[in-house]
Amino acid sequence: MTDPVAAVRKVFGPGRRLERELAGCELRPQQQAMAEAVAAAFTNKGRLAVEAGTGVGKSLAYLVPAAAWADRERGRVAISTYTRILQDQLVSRDTKLLTRLLPGVPRIEVAYGQENYLCRLRLHTRVTHGLFDSREQARAADALLEWSAATETGILLDAPVNLPPKLGRRVGRDSAACPRQRCPYFGECCWYKARRSWDAAAILVVNHALFFAGSGENGILPEFAAVVFDEAHRLEDAAVRHFGVQLNQGWLIGILDGLSPVSGRGLLQSLRGTGPVETLASETVACRAELAAFFDRLVTETPGPAPSRRGPTRSRRRPAEDRGPWNARRRLNGPVTPTPAVGLERLGTALSETSADLADEELAAELGGAGRWLREAAAGLRRFEEPGEENSVRWLETGPAGTTLNLTPLSVAEPLAGEVYPRLGTVVLTSATLAVADSFSFTAGRLGLQGFRFLRLDSPFDHRANSLLYVPGRMPLPSEPDYVAEAARLVGDIVAASRGRALVLFTSYEMMRRVHGLCDTGGHTALLQGEMPLPRLIEEFRTDVHSVLFATQSFWQGVDVPGQSLSCLIICRLPFEVPDDPR
Ligand code: SF4
């Protein structure tokens, strides 16, 4: 293949391959300018940040030079996105077009975090020992078992089963519970098969969280020579999570429930009659009580907004039925002592020791995994006990998933500039929103973008001439009782006018379900997020042109639905972060 600059010249511009390949495609000078800048960055091992407005066609503008460079230089490129939706779009759609534009495109693979891959050992352990909290879990596990015989990839989100969340966490791959070569399913393991395909890829599509956690020395990802961060406006969020500590009460309780649930059957019940199981069970109960008391004490003793019984803040403007992303946050002034670290550490060690003596390898792996997580949680809690950490803020967040203890770095510019970028030859950041008040200086400061070239490209769309903005003049506040009925009526009127073809976005699942339940879409198919796996939902929305999709969370960004299917976007409430978010 030719070099990146020549490849860009062949693809973009009047009469070139892109125009010939896509009949009726409008040339976008901004896309060509971006592709040329990215090609120059690859050629010169440079650093580039590009703000490219909606419709520029960013993906192709970086994929063409990245593919040409990877093929010619035999270097591996990471394309990192924030959302899984964009990851999937890149692999399923954009790379197909790329292959038509550049014959001989090198191998492109997608990588998700380990918990997204089915662990056959964990699934069999659950089914064999009946380790379920409910009948719903048992039914879903049976369906998974059937699917597991046929799946090539083992990617859980692609399974034709609506997985109860707790079960998903317990059958996904868990490094702490994986005996690797000693596992009886090692030869057919979905995770290790995926890892082999990543090693063979020239371009690997990852997400920011996985990129930070998995790259570098001892990381699970292969080595990269270059990276393109798409959706770079969320890079700081992902970096803050990676360099900070988060300990969620629900996650910890979930581990203890897996051992000995309040109802249903846990690991320890399966081991009855073996060694010190009774002691472990009573220590698990004690740990759960200690954790609950610890988090309760933190919430009641730390000044801040009062959490409601349903989790987040009591606020007239934030009704119980629409908590959405707004949780109660409190700053912790100084170290937190005492914590339940000692109890968790003791139980974790006892579990690991017991697992080493177990003859049943399946149960031993699960028990050892739980032990390791508890010891890691104890180590995390100790970070909150220590003084220092001047460059971080300790804080609590109370929401529907329980309370989360956070240790958040005030800035990630230093580790990004000092540890992450220097590992790579070429670094490209792109997003539709990187500049603030026409300047990159804020973003450059937050993300440590020293030595970067900056480029701004406007949207090629004439929004003023081609779009219509409607803001209803009289709507009840979301806190008022008639808001849901009025929102449903209004959405019904709008989709009647747009003949379906609409995406309706919410900031909470509950509000989404209630409006969907009341809304008359006039015979147009009403699709609801959560009713089917995400990739299928998007495909249905694309192919059923007049359908209406009610969605939240993952649909706020990264979704690209070309053509008529997405002609109307209805935003029921803007998803602003609250000013007390320390991130
Ligand atoms: S090798 Fe590890 S991840 Fe794979 S099936 Fe076995 S335990 Fe699960």
Side-chain angles (χ1 to χ4, degrees):
M1 201 183 282
T2 51
D3 66 79
V5 175
V8 165
R9 240 181 259 133
K10 281 182 185 164
V11 171
F12 301 98
R16 310 253 171 86
R17 284 183 191 166
L18 181 60
E19 198 181 36
R20 294 202 303 268
E21 193 61 43
L22 293 183
C25 118
E26 281 173 27
L27 286 177
R28 303 171 195 181
Q30 296 92 336
Q31 186 180 40
Q32 186 176 350
M34 176 170 168
E36 285 166 358
V38 175
F42 270 100
T43 307
N44 305 321
K45 294 194 174 161
R47 296 177 180 184
L48 171 73
V50 190
E51 180 180 274
T54 309
V56 163
K58 291 190 290 298
S59 316
L60 211 54
Y62 59 69
L63 279 172
V64 168
W69 184 86
D71 188 55
R72 193 179 164 96
E73 302 296 328
R74 300 274 171 249
R76 190 180 292 106
V77 180
I79 307 283
S80 183
T81 72
Y82 185 71
T83 56
R84 179 177 167 158
I85 287 189
L86 184 56
Q87 264 186 293
D88 290 346
Q89 272 173 194
L90 281 167
V91 178
S92 63
R93 204 191 56 198
D94 299 333
T95 57
K96 280 192 191 131
L97 176 58
L98 181 70
T99 318
R100 279 154 55 199
L101 295 170
L102 284 182
V105 162
R107 184 165 171 178
I108 300 176
E109 294 286 345
V110 63
Y112 305 110
Q114 59 168 354
E115 66 285 358
N116 292 287
Y117 294 86
L118 171 74
C119 171
R120 295 180 193 276
L121 180 66
R122 298 189 81 200
L123 176 62
H124 279 267
T125 307
R126 303 251 145 226
V127 173
T128 310
H129 297 277
L131 301 177
F132 303 113
D133 299 353
S134 63
R135 288 219 179 103
E136 188 200 2
Q137 282 193 8
R139 272 196 300 273
D142 282 342
L144 267 186
L145 203 56
E146 205 181 314
W147 169 76
S148 73
T151 178
E152 289 278 313
T153 63
I155 295 170
L156 287 169
L157 262 181
D158 296 341
V161 184
N162 260 339
L163 276 185
K166 271 192 185 169
L167 181 67
R169 281 198 294 275
R170 290 172 185 169
V171 297
R173 201 257 174 180
D174 175 356
S175 59
C178 173
R180 296 169 175 82
Q181 283 89 343
R182 287 188 291 106
C183 169
Y185 302 97
F186 185 73
E188 49 188 307
C189 173
C190 310
W191 168 251
Y192 284 102
K193 187 176 167 196
R195 295 269 306 268
R196 286 192 292 276
S197 75
W198 304 349
D199 288 341
I203 294 182
L204 194 58
V205 180
V206 300
N207 57 58
H208 298 342
L210 180 59
F211 180 85
F212 286 126
S215 56
E217 219 178 313
N218 303 323
I220 53 162
L221 294 174
E223 206 176 314
F224 297 114
V227 64
V228 177
F229 290 113
D230 199 343
E231 298 181 320
H233 60 288
R234 302 308 300 265
L235 194 62
E236 187 181 2
D237 277 359
V240 156
R241 282 183 191 282
H242 174 68
F243 291 109
V245 181
Q246 300 89 39
L247 282 171
N248 174 260
Q249 182 183 11
W251 173 71
L252 279 165
I253 297 289
I255 297 173
L256 298 176
D257 280 351
L259 293 168
S260 183
V262 178
S263 66
R265 194 172 155 82
L267 272 174
L268 295 177
Q269 277 81 27
S270 302
L271 293 171
R272 280 255 137 81
T274 337
V277 168
E278 299 305 331
T279 321
L280 289 175
S282 55
E283 279 195 29
T284 303
V285 172
C287 262
R288 193 167 26 221
E290 196 185 356
L291 269 175
F294 168 71
F295 279 105
D296 276 356
R297 178 172 59 79
L298 272 183
V299 171
T300 47
E301 290 180 2
T302 311
S308 77
R309 270 180 291 133
R310 304 184 59 172
T313 47
R314 274 186 205 287
S315 157
R316 286 197 185 165
R317 299 180 67 83
R318 294 177 197 162
E321 71 274 13
D322 189 21
R323 299 298 181 193
W326 295 284
N327 293 339
R329 298 180 173 99
R330 297 134 184 270
R331 184 177 178 144
L332 293 158
N333 294 315
V336 178
T337 50
T339 71
V342 173
L344 289 177
E345 170 88 48
R346 193 174 49 232
L347 178 59
T349 307
L351 290 170
S352 300
E353 286 169 1
T354 307
S355 75
D357 297 335
L358 277 181
D360 185 323
E361 288 208 4
E362 294 186 350
L363 289 174
E366 277 291 302
L367 209 62
R372 198 174 127 195
W373 283 124
L374 292 183
R375 281 183 283 121
E376 289 202 3
L381 279 171
R382 294 227 160 82
R383 297 261 319 257
F384 290 88
E385 294 176 349
E386 291 159 10
E389 306 279 4
E390 294 81 14
N391 296 320
S392 302
V393 57
R394 294 176 172 88
W395 55 288
L396 278 181
E397 183 169 34
T398 311
T403 300
T404 306
L405 255 178
N406 297 276
L407 185 69
T408 299
L410 292 175
S411 167
V412 287
E414 215 176 287
L416 285 175
E419 297 168 29
V420 178
Y421 307 146
R423 287 202 303 260
L424 300 144
T426 301
V427 181
V428 175
L429 275 73
T430 186
S431 162
T433 47
L434 278 182
V436 178
D438 294 333
S439 161
F440 281 96
S441 52
F442 178 77
T443 305
R446 299 302 301 170
L447 296 176
L449 305 183
Q450 290 116 32
F452 274 68
R453 183 192 161 205
F454 297 97
L455 179 66
R456 280 191 79 194
L457 298 163
D458 290 337
S459 168
F461 295 156
D462 184 350
H463 288 111
R464 191 173 288 275
N466 295 314
S467 51
L468 193 66
L469 177 68
Y470 169 59
V471 182
R474 292 163 59 87
M475 273 293 286
L477 287 173
S479 54
E480 290 172 356
D482 47 350
Y483 175 81
V484 172
E486 186 56 19
R489 186 194 62 74
L490 200 58
V491 170
D493 288 352
I494 295 170
V495 300
S498 65
R499 290 179 288 125
R501 307 182 300 170
L503 171 63
V504 194
L505 286 177
F506 298 85
T507 53
S508 82
Y509 278 94
E510 190 165 357
M511 183 67 83
M512 173 188 79
R513 284 192 205 100
R514 292 180 64 195
V515 174
H516 169 266
L518 285 180
C519 185
D520 175 4
T521 55
H524 301 303
T525 309
L527 301 165
L528 180 69
Q529 185 174 352
E531 276 186 345
M532 58 182 89
L534 219 55
R536 228 183 90 205
L537 188 67
I538 297 173
E539 197 45 39
E540 292 271 330
F541 182 53
R542 277 197 191 116
T543 47
D544 184 347
V545 173
H546 291 276
S547 60
V548 180
L549 172 57
F550 293 77
T552 180
Q553 270 195 351
S554 25
F555 282 81
W556 277 97
Q557 51 196 325
V559 183
D560 185 17
V561 182
Q564 294 282 311
S565 302
L566 178 44
S567 299
C568 174
L569 175 67
I570 304 174
I571 295 178
C572 286
R573 193 171 180 181
L574 289 170
F576 288 133
E577 287 291 350
V578 289
D580 64 350
D581 187 345
R583 284 169 290 183

